Amino acid sequence: MQLTSVLTVALSALTLTSANPITPMARAGNPSLIWHASNFETGCSPGGCTYHFNITGAASENTPGFSTSCSGTTTQEDYALCNDKHVKAQVIPELYPMWNVKVQHSWDANQGQAMFFALGQANITSSMKNFTIPVTEQYGVA
Ligand SMILES: *[C@@H]1O[C@H](CO)[C@@H](O)[C@H](O)[C@H]1NC(C)=O
Ligand SMILES: *[C@@H]1O[C@H](CO)[C@@H](O)[C@H](O)[C@H]1NC(C)=O
Ligand SMILES: *[C@@H]1O[C@H](CO)[C@@H](O)[C@H](O)[C@H]1NC(C)=O
C-alpha cells in the first residue's frame, strides 16, 4: 500500500514535469516560418526617417497568425508597437539605401502561463516594397 502511494506521488511528479512549459516551447521552434511585409515606405527629413509597412504572418501549428500595420521612426531606440500590439517593429538605417527591418511577434500560451516570442529580420533596400522576413529566433518564457 505504501509503495503504491509513493509510486503515485512519483508518477504525478513526472506528469507535472512533462507538462512543464519547457517542453512545448522547445517544440515551438520553427525556422521555416516566414512573414510577408508589404507597402514598405520611408520618408526622410534631416531629423530622421519615418517608416510604414504592413506585415502578415500565417498561423502555423504552434503560432497564431497576424496581419497588421507598423509605423515609427528610425530614431526610436527600441521596438515600437504596431497596430496589433502583439507585433513590434524597429527599422534601422544601414549604409544608404539599405535598411535593417526587425519584427517581434509575441503571444500567450498555456492559458497565459507562458509567453512565446518570435523574432525575424531582413535587410532590404528602399526600392523594395514587398519582401519576406524569415523568423530566425523563437523562444518562450514561463
Ligand atoms: C505588394 O503587396 C501588396 C499587398 O499584398 C499588393 O497589393 C501589391 O500588388 C504588391 N506589390 C508588388 C510590387 O508586388
Ligand atoms: C495595410 O494595413 C492597413 C491597416 O491594417 C490597411 O488599411 C491597408 O489596406 C493595408 N494596405 C495594404 C496594401 O495591404
Ligand atoms: C543585416 O545586416 C546586419 C548588419 O550588416 C547584420 O548584422 C545582419 O545579420 C543582417 N541580417 C540578415 C538577415 O541578413
Side-chain angles (χ1 to χ4, degrees):
M1 262 322 197
Q2 215 172 343
L3 183 67
T4 311
S5 62
V6 167
L7 213 70
T8 310
V9 169
L11 267 176
S12 54
L14 200 72
T15 310
L16 263 180
T17 309
S18 62
N20 189 299
I22 300 295
T23 313
M25 269 168 214
R27 250 191 279 129
N30 183 357
S32 64
L33 211 57
I34 289 176
W35 298 329
H36 293 269
S38 60
N39 292 80
F40 181 76
E41 309 259 352
T42 52
C44 295
S45 71
C49 301
T50 59
Y51 64 82
H52 176 91
F53 62 93
N54 286 4
I55 182 158
T56 61
S60 76
E61 193 187 343
N62 299 306
T63 316
F66 62 89
S67 181
T68 190
S69 289
C70 306
S71 48
T73 67
T74 54
T75 50
Q76 78 201 28
E77 278 166 14
D78 200 355
Y79 287 88
L81 293 176
C82 298
N83 277 357
D84 173 348
K85 61 182 172 29
H86 293 100
V87 184
K88 294 176 176 185
Q90 186 176 23
V91 174
I92 299 164
E94 300 285 349
L95 203 61
Y96 184 84
M98 296 287 299
W99 302 88
N100 177 237
V101 180
K102 292 183 181 172
V103 176
Q104 180 192 291
H105 178 213
S106 59
W107 66 97
D108 289 331
N110 288 9
Q111 285 80 46
Q113 289 183 57
M115 189 143 205
F116 286 98
F117 295 88
L119 283 86
Q121 57 157 298
N123 287 328
I124 59 154
T125 64
S126 302
S127 61
M128 292 170 77
K129 298 287 166 225
N130 294 358
F131 54 92
T132 58
I133 301 181
V135 173
T136 50
E137 215 181 308
Q138 258 194 126
Y139 60 92
V141 175

mmCIF file with all atom_site columns, all heavy atoms in Angstrom, residues 37-39 54 129-131, ligand 1:
data_model
loop_
_atom_site.group_PDB
_atom_site.id
_atom_site.type_symbol
_atom_site.label_atom_id
_atom_site.label_alt_id
_atom_site.label_comp_id
_atom_site.label_asym_id
_atom_site.label_entity_id
_atom_site.label_seq_id
_atom_site.pdbx_PDB_ins_code
_atom_site.Cartn_x
_atom_site.Cartn_y
_atom_site.Cartn_z
_atom_site.occupancy
_atom_site.B_iso_or_equiv
_atom_site.pdbx_formal_charge
_atom_site.auth_seq_id
_atom_site.auth_comp_id
_atom_site.auth_asym_id
_atom_site.auth_atom_id
_atom_site.pdbx_PDB_model_num
ATOM   1  N N   . ALA A 1 37  ? 6.002  41.165 -45.610 1.00 0.00 ? 37  ALA A N   1
ATOM   2  C CA  . ALA A 1 37  ? 5.840  42.619 -45.441 1.00 0.00 ? 37  ALA A CA  1
ATOM   3  C C   . ALA A 1 37  ? 5.445  43.207 -46.786 1.00 0.00 ? 37  ALA A C   1
ATOM   4  O O   . ALA A 1 37  ? 5.900  42.740 -47.837 1.00 0.00 ? 37  ALA A O   1
ATOM   5  C CB  . ALA A 1 37  ? 7.140  43.236 -44.949 1.00 0.00 ? 37  ALA A CB  1
ATOM   6  N N   . SER A 1 38  ? 4.588  44.225 -46.750 1.00 0.00 ? 38  SER A N   1
ATOM   7  C CA  . SER A 1 38  ? 4.184  44.881 -47.999 1.00 0.00 ? 38  SER A CA  1
ATOM   8  C C   . SER A 1 38  ? 4.071  46.382 -47.786 1.00 0.00 ? 38  SER A C   1
ATOM   9  O O   . SER A 1 38  ? 3.954  46.851 -46.650 1.00 0.00 ? 38  SER A O   1
ATOM   10 C CB  . SER A 1 38  ? 2.867  44.297 -48.513 1.00 0.00 ? 38  SER A CB  1
ATOM   11 O OG  . SER A 1 38  ? 1.842  44.487 -47.564 1.00 0.00 ? 38  SER A OG  1
ATOM   12 N N   . ASN A 1 39  ? 4.093  47.102 -48.897 1.00 0.00 ? 39  ASN A N   1
ATOM   13 C CA  . ASN A 1 39  ? 3.956  48.560 -48.886 1.00 0.00 ? 39  ASN A CA  1
ATOM   14 C C   . ASN A 1 39  ? 4.946  49.249 -47.948 1.00 0.00 ? 39  ASN A C   1
ATOM   15 O O   . ASN A 1 39  ? 4.580  50.145 -47.204 1.00 0.00 ? 39  ASN A O   1
ATOM   16 C CB  . ASN A 1 39  ? 2.515  48.964 -48.518 1.00 0.00 ? 39  ASN A CB  1
ATOM   17 C CG  . ASN A 1 39  ? 1.557  48.576 -49.617 1.00 0.00 ? 39  ASN A CG  1
ATOM   18 O OD1 . ASN A 1 39  ? 1.162  47.408 -49.702 1.00 0.00 ? 39  ASN A OD1 1
ATOM   19 N ND2 . ASN A 1 39  ? 1.226  49.489 -50.482 1.00 0.00 ? 39  ASN A ND2 1
ATOM   20 N N   . ASN A 1 54  ? 3.077  47.073 -43.871 1.00 0.00 ? 54  ASN A N   1
ATOM   21 C CA  . ASN A 1 54  ? 2.106  46.093 -43.399 1.00 0.00 ? 54  ASN A CA  1
ATOM   22 C C   . ASN A 1 54  ? 2.816  44.751 -43.297 1.00 0.00 ? 54  ASN A C   1
ATOM   23 O O   . ASN A 1 54  ? 3.713  44.462 -44.080 1.00 0.00 ? 54  ASN A O   1
ATOM   24 C CB  . ASN A 1 54  ? 0.935  45.965 -44.387 1.00 0.00 ? 54  ASN A CB  1
ATOM   25 C CG  . ASN A 1 54  ? 0.007  47.180 -44.311 1.00 0.00 ? 54  ASN A CG  1
ATOM   26 O OD1 . ASN A 1 54  ? 0.270  48.131 -43.594 1.00 0.00 ? 54  ASN A OD1 1
ATOM   27 N ND2 . ASN A 1 54  ? -1.078 47.111 -45.062 1.00 0.00 ? 54  ASN A ND2 1
ATOM   28 N N   . LYS A 1 129 ? 9.301  47.208 -51.925 1.00 0.00 ? 129 LYS A N   1
ATOM   29 C CA  . LYS A 1 129 ? 8.018  47.497 -51.271 1.00 0.00 ? 129 LYS A CA  1
ATOM   30 C C   . LYS A 1 129 ? 7.517  46.266 -50.541 1.00 0.00 ? 129 LYS A C   1
ATOM   31 O O   . LYS A 1 129 ? 6.927  46.353 -49.473 1.00 0.00 ? 129 LYS A O   1
ATOM   32 C CB  . LYS A 1 129 ? 6.971  47.925 -52.307 1.00 0.00 ? 129 LYS A CB  1
ATOM   33 C CG  . LYS A 1 129 ? 7.334  49.188 -53.046 1.00 0.00 ? 129 LYS A CG  1
ATOM   34 C CD  . LYS A 1 129 ? 7.180  50.408 -52.149 1.00 0.00 ? 129 LYS A CD  1
ATOM   35 C CE  . LYS A 1 129 ? 7.831  51.643 -52.716 1.00 0.00 ? 129 LYS A CE  1
ATOM   36 N NZ  . LYS A 1 129 ? 8.600  52.372 -51.696 1.00 0.00 ? 129 LYS A NZ  1
ATOM   37 N N   . ASN A 1 130 ? 7.682  45.128 -51.168 1.00 0.00 ? 130 ASN A N   1
ATOM   38 C CA  . ASN A 1 130 ? 7.229  43.855 -50.600 1.00 0.00 ? 130 ASN A CA  1
ATOM   39 C C   . ASN A 1 130 ? 8.447  42.948 -50.405 1.00 0.00 ? 130 ASN A C   1
ATOM   40 O O   . ASN A 1 130 ? 9.272  42.850 -51.305 1.00 0.00 ? 130 ASN A O   1
ATOM   41 C CB  . ASN A 1 130 ? 6.250  43.150 -51.564 1.00 0.00 ? 130 ASN A CB  1
ATOM   42 C CG  . ASN A 1 130 ? 4.952  43.928 -51.717 1.00 0.00 ? 130 ASN A CG  1
ATOM   43 O OD1 . ASN A 1 130 ? 4.744  44.967 -51.103 1.00 0.00 ? 130 ASN A OD1 1
ATOM   44 N ND2 . ASN A 1 130 ? 4.071  43.382 -52.554 1.00 0.00 ? 130 ASN A ND2 1
ATOM   45 N N   . PHE A 1 131 ? 8.507  42.323 -49.274 1.00 0.00 ? 131 PHE A N   1
ATOM   46 C CA  . PHE A 1 131 ? 9.633  41.417 -49.029 1.00 0.00 ? 131 PHE A CA  1
ATOM   47 C C   . PHE A 1 131 ? 9.242  40.437 -47.938 1.00 0.00 ? 131 PHE A C   1
ATOM   48 O O   . PHE A 1 131 ? 8.204  40.599 -47.287 1.00 0.00 ? 131 PHE A O   1
ATOM   49 C CB  . PHE A 1 131 ? 10.891 42.211 -48.651 1.00 0.00 ? 131 PHE A CB  1
ATOM   50 C CG  . PHE A 1 131 ? 10.712 43.160 -47.490 1.00 0.00 ? 131 PHE A CG  1
ATOM   51 C CD1 . PHE A 1 131 ? 10.988 42.766 -46.189 1.00 0.00 ? 131 PHE A CD1 1
ATOM   52 C CD2 . PHE A 1 131 ? 10.250 44.455 -47.710 1.00 0.00 ? 131 PHE A CD2 1
ATOM   53 C CE1 . PHE A 1 131 ? 10.808 43.645 -45.132 1.00 0.00 ? 131 PHE A CE1 1
ATOM   54 C CE2 . PHE A 1 131 ? 10.067 45.345 -46.643 1.00 0.00 ? 131 PHE A CE2 1
ATOM   55 C CZ  . PHE A 1 131 ? 10.348 44.938 -45.361 1.00 0.00 ? 131 PHE A CZ  1
HETATM 56 C C1  . LIG B 2 .   ? 2.747  44.150 -52.644 1.00 0.00 ? 1   LIG B C1  1
HETATM 57 O O1  . LIG B 2 .   ? 1.799  43.570 -51.771 1.00 0.00 ? 1   LIG B O1  1
HETATM 58 C C2  . LIG B 2 .   ? 0.530  44.230 -51.809 1.00 0.00 ? 1   LIG B C2  1
HETATM 59 C C3  . LIG B 2 .   ? -0.330 43.641 -50.728 1.00 0.00 ? 1   LIG B C3  1
HETATM 60 O O2  . LIG B 2 .   ? -0.175 42.261 -50.606 1.00 0.00 ? 1   LIG B O2  1
HETATM 61 C C4  . LIG B 2 .   ? -0.070 44.060 -53.224 1.00 0.00 ? 1   LIG B C4  1
HETATM 62 O O3  . LIG B 2 .   ? -1.294 44.724 -53.268 1.00 0.00 ? 1   LIG B O3  1
HETATM 63 C C5  . LIG B 2 .   ? 0.905  44.664 -54.235 1.00 0.00 ? 1   LIG B C5  1
HETATM 64 O O4  . LIG B 2 .   ? 0.426  44.411 -55.521 1.00 0.00 ? 1   LIG B O4  1
HETATM 65 C C6  . LIG B 2 .   ? 2.289  44.081 -54.082 1.00 0.00 ? 1   LIG B C6  1
HETATM 66 N N1  . LIG B 2 .   ? 3.209  44.825 -54.936 1.00 0.00 ? 1   LIG B N1  1
HETATM 67 C C7  . LIG B 2 .   ? 4.143  44.227 -55.646 1.00 0.00 ? 1   LIG B C7  1
HETATM 68 C C8  . LIG B 2 .   ? 5.023  45.141 -56.429 1.00 0.00 ? 1   LIG B C8  1
HETATM 69 O O5  . LIG B 2 .   ? 4.302  43.019 -55.656 1.00 0.00 ? 1   LIG B O5  1
#
